[in-house]
Every structure is written in structure tokens, then in C-alpha cells.
Amino acid sequence: MLWLMRLSGFFSAALVMIVLSPSLQSFPPAEAIRSHSLDSQNPAVDPPNRFSFRKSSAFPNAHECSSNNRNKLKKTGVCDPSLVHVAITLDVDYLRGSIAAVHSILHNSLCAESIFFHFLVSETDLETLVRSTFPNLNFKVYYFDPEMVRGLISTSVRQALEQPLNYARNYMANLLEPCVTRVIYLDSDLVLVDDIGKLWATSLGGKTIGAPEYCHANFTKYFTPNFWSDRRFSGTFSGRNLCYFNTGVMVIDLVKWRRFGYTKRIETWMEIQKSHRIYELGSLPPFLLVFAGHVAPIEHRWNQHGLGGDNVRGSCRDLHPGPVSLLHWSGSGKPWLRIDSKQPCPLDSLWAPFDLYGLST
């Protein structure tokens, strides 16, 4: 059975390369857009029980996996040193994307039972839904209080970028157990077509975070004239080789993050933003301010981003040149919405096989 799943994963990756062979346009990087519905006046606007997901197949570990004993995992739990740790946010608006992302990771992993998922939520009743969809999944749900950041968030180019759960990744080092020393953070609008164990094995070379970098991007557009004209702010980039990176796929050394207090550094820039308006684009710029020029480069194949189009129109896009391990629908257009509206983009067909939404036929 396992060899069939691996073979299927191979064909998924092969299909990406065949269907997407580039007419490849050049386009500016787009930040992954996340949306979280949180209405304190009417908390039942989007009840999670309106969703129905099919139960996922089981994905057992291959014999060569280092932790092949579920009884061992039950004893050691999240602190098992053989685990691959993956963090994803869960909210009502993006739940369908999150479920597809998890499904794609399990489907393409040689050691699926050795993956531990850390779900960051601001809703309190999503755990049962996850458990019913993935009965064998190793996971824990962490509540992120929106009030932690609500006072730090400034208006953005789109309201979706202002939602508090976008900022939960800033606090993972505090939310996750101290024994979790490394984590892969993933946005909800992506799928993998390769084994996440390969991404986990990436060397960070002493850096705190690793991500695919884009060093030819126009860096000036991510910050306002107020920022560039004031040396108190723009001087932070002095002596740094500035490269854009998309925060939707990151490998993070949580030991270094905790040691050097990066959560507070990000918060400091958010406080400056409130009074001086130094950027326009949501939760991405504070990461650039703190980490740009200090990122361990990861192969571009691990974040083929921008498939959701720009932040306004959500137009169809092609991939960057090169091999593909992860497809990312950053931008305003999401594959499940376009598929349901009968107006899909060509690449949305590569997301659809991992969609578990709906009743079994």
C-alpha cells in the first residue's frame, strides 16, 4: 500500500512539471493573504459545523523511518526528538485550505506518522473537526488571543491583512513547548508535492530562519517614503544584503528566536508603524525589517508563490522557472473559491486532488 502512495506522490510531482512547463511570466512577489473572521458582536456568524470534510486515508510510516512505533510517540509526545514539527493557523475562512495543506503533507511524506502538527487558532472548537478528518494525526491546538496584537495592528492595503491570526507566527516561540526547538511554518493556501522531510533537513547555517529568497525584487516598494527618508528607520538596512522572502514558508530555529527575543523586535517595529506609517502591507514588513539579509536561503522549489495573483484582482499566474516541491496561492485569489465559482485558473487543478471538503460519494 505504501509503495502506491509514494508512486502517487511521484506522479503528482511529475504532473506539476509537465503541466506547468513554463511560459513563465515574471511577476512581483506577493505576500500570502490570510483571513480570519472574528466578530465579537456575533461570534456564530461562521460556525465551524457548517463544514463537512471527508475522512482522510491513513498514511503509515515506511519501515526506514526512525520513529515507527506509535506507542513510543504516545509516551514521549511532542518532545520526541525524531518528530518533524509543522505549524499552521486554523480559522473558519481558511479551514478548507488548511485541511488540504495537511492532506498534501501526509500524502507525500515517507514518514507521515513522524510529523507533529501545531495548529494556531483563535476559534475554540476546531479540534474535533480536525480529529474527525485525520483520526491518526499527531497534533495539538494552541489558542492565540487576538487581543495580544489587536492594538499593534495598523490599517493595510486590504482588510484581510489586518486580521490578528496573521500575526500568530510571531508568537510561536512562546506558544509551543520549550522542547520544540525547530518548526516549519506554513500558510494555509498551499500544498506540497514533495516530502516535507526534505525541507525539515535544510541547514540554517547558524541563522534563525530559512526561506526561499528573491534578491532581484524591488525592495523599496515594501516601505513608504516616510521610511526611506528617515535615517532612524531606513538605517536599519545599512550593510545588509537585502532580499525579499515570503513569510508563508519558513524553517525557524526556535532556540535562537527565544534567545534573541525576536518577538519583541517585531513588536517594536509594529509600534513604530502605528505612529509613523512606514509600510502598507500587513504582517510581512516587520519580518523584512528584522530578518532581511539574515535569512538562510532555501531552494525556490519550496515556495512557488504568487499563484493567487496580486492583492486586488487575484488574476491567474504561472510558476517561476524550475522544479516544484510546494505550490503557494499567495495573493487574493484562492483555489477553492475559484473552483467553486466555476472560474478556476489552470494551476488550481493541482490543488484540487488534496481537497477533502464535502461528503463522500
Side-chain angles (χ1 to χ4, degrees):
M1 186 66 182
L2 186 61
W3 70 271
L4 283 174
M5 289 187 290
R6 292 187 200 139
L7 189 61
S8 177
F10 169 80
F11 281 119
S12 295
L15 179 63
V16 172
M17 298 309 299
I18 293 171
V19 174
L20 304 175
S21 52
S23 68
L24 302 158
Q25 303 168 352
S26 173
F27 56 87
E31 186 189 17
I33 309 301
R34 299 209 20 82
S35 174
H36 176 65
S37 290
L38 190 69
D39 186 343
S40 59
Q41 301 303 314
N42 187 7
V45 168
D46 287 311
N49 60 11
R50 70 186 173 92
F51 291 102
S52 178
F53 292 96
R54 300 184 300 279
K55 185 169 71 172
S56 169
S57 301
F59 296 96
N61 277 1
H63 292 298
E64 56 265 43
C65 298
S66 59
S67 179
N68 208 22
N69 189 336
R70 289 192 61 84
N71 291 327
K72 175 187 173 184
L73 183 57
K74 288 178 181 178
K75 293 178 181 178
T76 56
V78 68
C79 293
D80 186 332
S82 68
L83 292 173
V84 172
H85 294 276
V86 179
I88 300 178
T89 56
L90 290 182
D91 61 40
V92 170
D93 288 344
Y94 271 54
L95 192 57
R96 188 170 170 185
S98 298
I99 294 295
V102 172
H103 188 208
S104 73
I105 292 168
L106 298 174
H107 180 86
N108 290 290
S109 294
L110 190 66
C111 303
E113 288 182 310
S114 299
I115 303 172
F116 196 100
F117 289 89
H118 304 263
F119 294 121
L120 312 176
V121 306
S122 291
E123 306 277 354
T124 58
D125 49 1
L126 295 176
E127 182 172 352
T128 300
L129 188 150
V130 173
R131 180 65 68 193
S132 64
T133 307
F134 301 104
N136 299 313
L137 194 69
N138 303 312
F139 76 93
K140 182 175 178 179
V141 170
Y142 302 78
Y143 179 73
F144 175 71
D145 185 356
E147 297 307 318
M148 290 180 65
V149 292
R150 204 180 296 279
L152 291 172
I153 298 174
S154 57
T155 57
S156 185
V157 292
R158 292 206 314 118
Q159 188 176 5
L161 296 173
E162 302 169 21
Q163 303 304 325
L165 200 60
N166 291 339
Y167 297 84
R169 59 191 168 201
N170 303 356
Y171 298 88
M172 285 190 297
N174 302 328
L175 293 170
L176 274 56
E177 289 79 356
C179 65
V180 180
T181 60
R182 181 182 175 104
V183 68
I184 297 173
Y185 173 81
L186 298 175
D187 273 349
S188 298
D189 51 357
L190 54 77
V191 294
L192 275 77
V193 291
D194 203 347
D195 192 335
I196 200 170
K198 299 175 185 177
L199 179 59
W200 178 256
T202 299
S203 171
L204 297 184
K207 300 293 192 348
T208 301
I209 71 170
E213 291 186 297
Y214 302 88
C215 297
H216 299 296
N218 180 6
F219 213 80
T220 60
K221 71 176 184 176
Y222 296 108
F223 300 94
T224 65
N226 288 342
F227 174 85
W228 293 111
S229 63
D230 193 327
R231 288 292 298 170
R232 293 177 301 168
F233 307 141
S234 59
T236 193
F237 287 141
S238 296
R240 291 160 65 175
N241 181 24
L242 301 180
C243 296
Y244 166 88
F245 64 96
N246 179 281
T247 51
V249 179
M250 296 184 289
V251 181
I252 303 174
D253 184 329
L254 293 175
V255 174
K256 286 187 170 62
W257 185 292
R258 294 167 180 139
R259 180 186 305 156
F260 296 109
Y262 284 114
T263 295
K264 182 59 181 175
R265 296 190 193 190
I266 290 173
E267 286 180 334
T268 297
W269 281 112
M270 293 175 69
E271 290 167 354
I272 292 172
Q273 160 74 353
K274 293 287 287 187
S275 58
H276 291 84
R277 196 64 184 178
I278 58 175
Y279 56 80
E280 303 286 352
L281 192 60
S283 60
L284 168 65
F287 263 85
L288 297 179
L289 287 162
V290 172
F291 291 111
H294 303 302
V295 175
I298 292 176
E299 288 182 273
H300 288 176
R301 68 188 302 152
W302 289 107
N303 194 354
Q304 290 281 344
H305 66 280
L307 303 186
D310 61 27
N311 286 334
V312 179
R313 296 183 301 274
S315 53
C316 296
R317 289 246 172 98
D318 291 330
L319 289 178
H320 298 280
V324 179
S325 292
L326 183 151
L327 297 154
H328 188 183
W329 279 261
S330 58
S332 63
K334 302 306 173 190
W336 56 93
L337 297 178
R338 296 194 294 217
I339 289 171
D340 286 353
S341 68
K342 310 299 183 185
Q343 295 179 319
C345 290
L347 299 184
D348 295 345
S349 62
L350 298 172
W351 178 89
F354 302 108
D355 184 18
L356 291 174
Y357 180 69
L359 299 173
S360 300
T361 56

